[in-house]
Amino acid sequence: MGQLQSGQSEAKTFTPQEISHKFATKCGSQFSGIELWAFKDVFRRHGKVYNGVYYWTEQDFTKFLEIPGSTAESGRILYAMVHYLCAFPFLRPRHPPLTFSQVAPTTLTFENMVKIVVLFTGRYKSILTGDYDFLKLLFCAIAYYEEVLAEDKEFKEKKASRSSQEEEPTSEKLKNSPETTRSGSNDEKMGFWEKKFTALANLTNSSSSASSSAASAGSSDTDSGEEFLNIDLENVSTWYDLDLIKSYDNIDIELLRISPTSLYHIFQLLLAIGPLQPQEPISTYSDHFAEPAIGRYRSVAKSMTRSFDPNWAVGNATDHNAVLETGISYSRFFTVVKSVMPFAFDGLAVLFEHFLFNQRIAPSSPTAPQVSSIAIPAMVGSPPVDHPFASPKDHDGLEEPNEEGANTVILALSKLPEPTKLMNATMISQLATFMDINSFHLYGGLKKLYVGSEAGFSMGSFEQKVFKWNAPTIVLISGYILAPEPKGARERAFSDLLPPVRYGNSTGHVTKHNGKVTYGAVVNTPWKISHKECFGDNSTALFQLEPVQDMFRSSGYNGNYVYFSKSLGLGFGNLPPKQHSHQNHGAPQYAFGDLSLTLDHALEFGVFRHVGSETFRSSQIREHVDFEDRFAITELEVWGCGADEVLREQARLWAWEEKEALLRKNVNLSKDIEESRALLEMAGLVGGGGRRSGGSV
């Protein structure tokens, strides 16, 4: 007994620091030689050194990413999230706290940043498998920001009862370090989050009887109270097999909460860097962070945040202690992100790809050796020839084989169309939170088809501009909520055509809202006239952008996706209205679907009804909430989506049709007028032929 069989190995004992180091080493293998070289050089040149170890402060982090002052709070939250994940795969506060203060004054050492970049750029999938829920990890990181800022009375009393034995030795050590005397005070060296996390770890462990002895033992690596784990790292196929990772360090995630305000600040930053590519500095889009652009991004961020909490209003002071009780839960966070904004956090991957691009790399430089160790070398060699700018990687790119059979990454172009009232850089960033940028070619592949304020609000203009487009289209409609009682003759005439039952509007429960609404639709099939039947397929979808972002996808229940009629109007989710000649001078009588969007034939008024699921599924974030928005249309736009080849083919088709129309217009009848006239009479276009009776049409 007690002997291992052949091929088996005994589980070894590791400290949390040792496990963290082994995971960081595994993460380092996920980079190519050029990426790791660039990463090391970037970290060394932009960081500080303490006892031979390079590290970054919060200021170094935000300065490198070029996060502007207008989104300073976004950078603060992002740094707090990074600080928390530096201890991965450990997510619960421990004693001694995993801040690595015995190595460097802050947690952002190169070893830890390797883990951070692997996690945020998606490279973790080859280590933890693609089943690992990064969204849950992201939620934990944001919740950490809330938890360390909770300063209620009980928290202060418990923290005051703790001795300052752990912070004082660190402070004394920093006083004597050359780095402190060279570039800052002790508070700056330790950092706000390091001190907060240390206090949180001490508080957590002091209230736990299981770890009370550890809390009184100090923070040395050799303390008897230090935690040890028996793990067989050699016989696991992936790190995900470890219960430590699979269970998210046994965190009870349903007890965690985040505040809507934190999400609001995160969304501000991610929306403003929407078109950003890994090799582009944020300063490329500096105009996005200045007025009036940043104001528009903040407005969109409000709509996205209200998806989590409709009662939230910007400007309300955040009570972080209250957030721990009444904030957004993980189940709510998961539901909203997955159903309404599945791509909302993709910008984080692009942002952290910046650590792998080095401005110093020159094509004429000799090739650098492959680097396998994650320790920063004392001397950084010359930049390699195959620099990232020559063949940049895009985590969301499409790969196509080139002539040699190798794969070339096709990047989405950061090209924005000429802005209109609705379609601009802000709108594209919001659409990209729930529409795949490559499938719909949001950057570089949008074609303006119809803008009501330019072409006129008429069904004829709409048909002329839109019907020749043979690729997917995006419809955008904005307006203002009508008062309960109609004002003016046209409002009353429109109201008379609607069902007598009216539900409350969607903006009534939204705090501090101006009554503006914005809706839209995605139609993947060509448009056509449809007086009795609808067109479209199950890829057709409706969405709301303001005051709350929401999605309404096809239910598959019926095919009443879209109808278009010059006399009946435009609608989604219901059949064309019936037209009665003996009532209302032939005006249509509307019968709305349970979830539908309807515009009148004059494109003056619209109605969005949400009272259940029918053609489209009801909201997954506002279940059992019935509402009906009746609004006056202020703008209506239709945009075509397509890759370059689609745009070129569409241009050729339009050119051919224009040429044919010109030829028909300039028919030459001078050679044989009588013969030509006879042909026209036979066609019923001129003369007596037009009065002849014929077959039914």
Side-chain angles (χ1 to χ4, degrees):
M1 288 184 62
Q3 294 184 355
L4 295 173
Q5 296 180 2
S6 177
Q8 291 183 336
S9 62
E10 185 180 0
K12 298 181 180 180
T13 300
F14 300 96
T15 65
Q17 285 85 353
E18 290 172 334
I19 295 175
S20 179
H21 173 75
K22 288 182 177 293
F23 183 77
T25 303
K26 182 65 175 179
C27 290
S29 66
Q30 304 306 305
F31 302 118
S32 66
I34 177 61
E35 289 175 330
L36 195 55
W37 179 92
F39 194 176
K40 290 180 178 182
D41 188 52
V42 164
F43 199 86
R44 180 178 183 274
R45 288 189 296 110
H46 293 272
K48 298 177 176 62
V49 64
Y50 173 77
N51 288 346
V53 177
Y54 285 92
Y55 69 95
W56 280 20
T57 63
E58 180 178 350
Q59 182 180 6
D60 299 327
F61 176 79
T62 55
K63 183 178 180 180
F64 170 75
L65 292 178
E66 297 183 330
I67 297 177
S70 57
T71 55
E73 187 62 22
S74 308
R76 179 181 173 84
I77 297 172
L78 185 60
Y79 179 83
M81 295 164 59
V82 167
H83 173 273
Y84 171 78
L85 294 176
C86 279
F88 188 87
F90 299 95
L91 303 178
R92 290 184 292 110
R94 277 173 165 74
H95 187 94
L98 293 179
T99 57
F100 296 88
S101 58
Q102 71 275 22
V103 176
T106 72
T107 59
L108 263 67
T109 61
F110 180 72
E111 178 176 304
N112 289 336
M113 278 306 299
V114 165
K115 295 189 295 182
I116 295 300
V117 173
V118 166
L119 289 172
F120 276 100
T121 59
R123 288 171 168 84
Y124 67 86
K125 295 177 182 178
S126 61
I127 304 175
L128 306 178
T129 76
D131 296 332
Y132 188 77
D133 188 0
F134 180 72
L135 191 62
K136 182 181 290 188
L137 190 65
L138 198 65
F139 179 86
C140 291
I142 302 173
Y144 156 76
Y145 170 78
E146 312 293 350
E147 192 168 356
V148 297
L149 292 182
E151 293 282 3
D152 63 353
K153 182 179 180 181
E154 182 181 1
F155 185 97
K156 290 181 179 180
E157 289 177 350
K158 289 184 178 181
K159 188 172 67 171
S161 66
R162 297 286 300 164
S163 65
S164 59
Q165 295 177 357
E166 291 179 306
E167 292 188 35
E168 289 177 357
T170 305
S171 300
E172 291 298 326
K173 189 175 183 180
L174 290 173
K175 287 179 181 179
N176 299 325
S177 69
E179 183 66 26
T180 302
T181 57
R182 185 181 66 184
S183 61
S185 66
N186 297 336
D187 289 341
E188 291 173 343
K189 297 312 299 170
M190 273 299 294
F192 175 82
W193 297 106
E194 281 71 24
K195 290 187 175 183
K196 280 289 187 181
F197 193 68
T198 299
L200 179 63
N202 293 339
L203 175 63
T204 302
N205 285 275
S206 66
S207 60
S208 173
S209 60
S211 56
S212 59
S213 60
S216 62
S219 60
S220 172
D221 285 347
T222 59
D223 284 342
S224 60
E226 186 169 13
E227 181 180 4
F228 292 91
L229 293 91
N230 294 323
I231 297 178
D232 184 5
L233 294 178
E234 297 181 1
N235 285 335
V236 293
S237 57
T238 66
W239 277 76
Y240 185 69
D241 292 336
L242 298 178
D243 183 67
L244 172 68
I245 291 178
K246 191 179 299 185
S247 67
Y248 295 82
D249 199 11
N250 291 313
I251 280 185
D252 190 349
I253 197 166
E254 286 304 325
L255 296 180
L256 301 181
R257 295 291 185 271
I258 61 178
S259 77
T261 303
S262 298
L263 290 176
Y264 166 70
H265 288 295
I266 295 172
F267 290 149
Q268 275 188 56
L269 176 63
L270 295 180
L271 288 166
I273 64 172
L276 186 71
Q277 294 294 321
Q279 71 274 23
E280 293 179 323
I282 287 183
S283 57
T284 305
Y285 302 96
S286 58
D287 57 317
H288 291 192
F289 295 90
E291 294 292 352
I294 191 61
R296 294 192 293 266
Y297 286 115
R298 286 170 178 162
S299 178
V300 173
K302 292 177 188 177
S303 296
M304 294 174 64
T305 306
R306 292 192 190 105
S307 300
F308 299 88
D309 182 2
N311 297 318
W312 171 83
V314 67
N316 293 350
T318 301
D319 183 349
H320 293 281
N321 180 48
V323 167
L324 302 182
E325 299 292 335
T326 63
I328 300 168
S329 67
Y330 175 67
S331 57
R332 176 67 176 176
F333 178 78
F334 179 87
T335 299
V336 174
V337 172
K338 288 295 186 181
S339 61
V340 176
M341 50 189 79
F343 310 121
F345 295 100
D346 281 10
L348 291 173
V350 179
L351 194 62
F352 281 88
E353 287 280 353
H354 281 69
F355 288 93
L356 308 179
F357 289 85
N358 195 324
Q359 297 285 356
R360 293 202 312 131
I361 297 176
S364 59
S365 304
T367 303
Q370 294 290 321
V371 188
S372 58
S373 172
I374 63 171
I376 298 182
M379 296 296 294
V380 179
S382 301
V385 175
D386 55 338
H387 59 93
F389 296 119
S391 181
K393 287 189 175 182
D394 179 13
H395 72 289
D396 283 329
L398 301 177
E399 293 189 356
E400 295 182 355
N402 58 24
E403 295 180 357
E404 288 78 18
N407 286 332
T408 302
V409 178
I410 308 300
L411 297 180
L413 299 176
S414 298
K415 179 183 177 182
L416 302 176
E418 183 179 350
T420 60
K421 288 183 179 179
L422 296 182
M423 186 62 76
N424 46 46
T426 310
M427 174 62 72
I428 293 176
S429 290
Q430 186 173 12
L431 293 176
T433 64
F434 60 89
M435 298 175 66
D436 180 46
I437 61 173
N438 289 310
S439 298
F440 290 93
H441 304 277
L442 296 180
Y443 293 106
L446 291 178
K447 171 71 175 178
K448 182 172 68 174
L449 301 179
Y450 169 80
V451 176
S453 59
E454 297 176 2
F457 290 92
S458 73
M459 300 295 286
S461 296
F462 189 107
E463 178 186 2
Q464 181 183 10
K465 298 287 186 178
V466 177
F467 273 44
K468 295 178 182 179
W469 184 261
N470 294 318
T473 51
I474 300 174
V475 183
L476 301 173
I477 308 129
S478 68
Y480 286 91
I481 295 293
L482 296 174
E485 295 297 326
K487 298 179 180 179
R490 286 189 291 194
E491 273 193 39
R492 284 193 294 270
F494 176 70
S495 179
D496 291 340
L497 304 177
L498 306 182
V501 178
R502 180 174 182 177
Y503 298 86
N505 60 64
S506 66
T507 65
H509 62 288
V510 176
T511 307
K512 298 181 181 179
H513 185 64
N514 56 12
K516 182 180 179 181
V517 292
T518 303
Y519 286 98
V522 178
V523 182
N524 286 314
T525 58
W527 287 73
K528 62 181 181 181
I529 299 292
S530 53
H531 295 290
K532 296 182 179 180
E533 295 182 352
C534 296
F535 62 91
D537 57 27
N538 58 10
S539 64
T540 307
L542 297 177
F543 53 84
Q544 183 180 14
L545 300 178
E546 190 179 7
V548 177
Q549 182 167 315
D550 208 343
M551 278 290 297
F552 314 96
R553 296 176 175 84
S554 168
S555 66
Y557 177 73
N558 58 39
N560 301 335
Y561 295 110
V562 192
Y563 73 81
F564 180 95
S565 171
K566 289 184 178 180
S567 59
L568 303 177
L570 168 64
F572 304 84
N574 48 22
L575 288 168
K578 295 180 180 180
Q579 192 168 12
H580 301 284
S581 58
H582 60 283
Q583 292 180 348
N584 299 312
H585 306 287
Q589 298 295 303
Y590 295 100
F592 303 131
D594 287 347
L595 202 154
S596 58
L597 175 61
T598 308
L599 309 184
D600 73 328
H601 70 285
L603 301 181
E604 186 176 8
F605 301 105
V607 178
F608 182 87
R609 173 173 281 201
H610 178 280
V611 295
S613 296
E614 197 170 349
T615 306
F616 300 100
R617 291 198 301 265
S618 61
S619 170
Q620 296 186 49
I621 66 173
R622 290 180 284 183
E623 294 181 310
H624 313 300
V625 176
D626 296 339
F627 63 88
E628 180 179 289
D629 286 343
R630 299 183 180 185
F631 56 93
I633 298 173
T634 57
E635 188 60 287
L636 171 62
E637 299 182 7
V638 183
W639 290 78
C641 308
D644 290 342
E645 59 271 17
V646 174
L647 299 178
R648 288 192 293 266
E649 180 62 29
Q650 193 70 52
R652 285 194 293 267
L653 178 62
W654 284 346
W656 179 84
E657 290 181 346
E658 185 177 355
K659 181 180 179 181
E660 289 297 309
L662 186 62
L663 290 175
R664 289 192 296 269
K665 182 178 180 180
N666 297 325
V667 175
N668 189 353
L669 301 178
S670 59
K671 292 184 178 181
D672 194 338
I673 297 178
E674 292 300 324
E675 181 179 352
S676 300
R677 182 178 181 83
L679 290 173
L680 294 175
E681 288 180 352
M682 292 174 63
L685 299 178
V686 299
R691 295 186 296 271
R692 293 192 182 100
S693 61
S696 61
V697 177

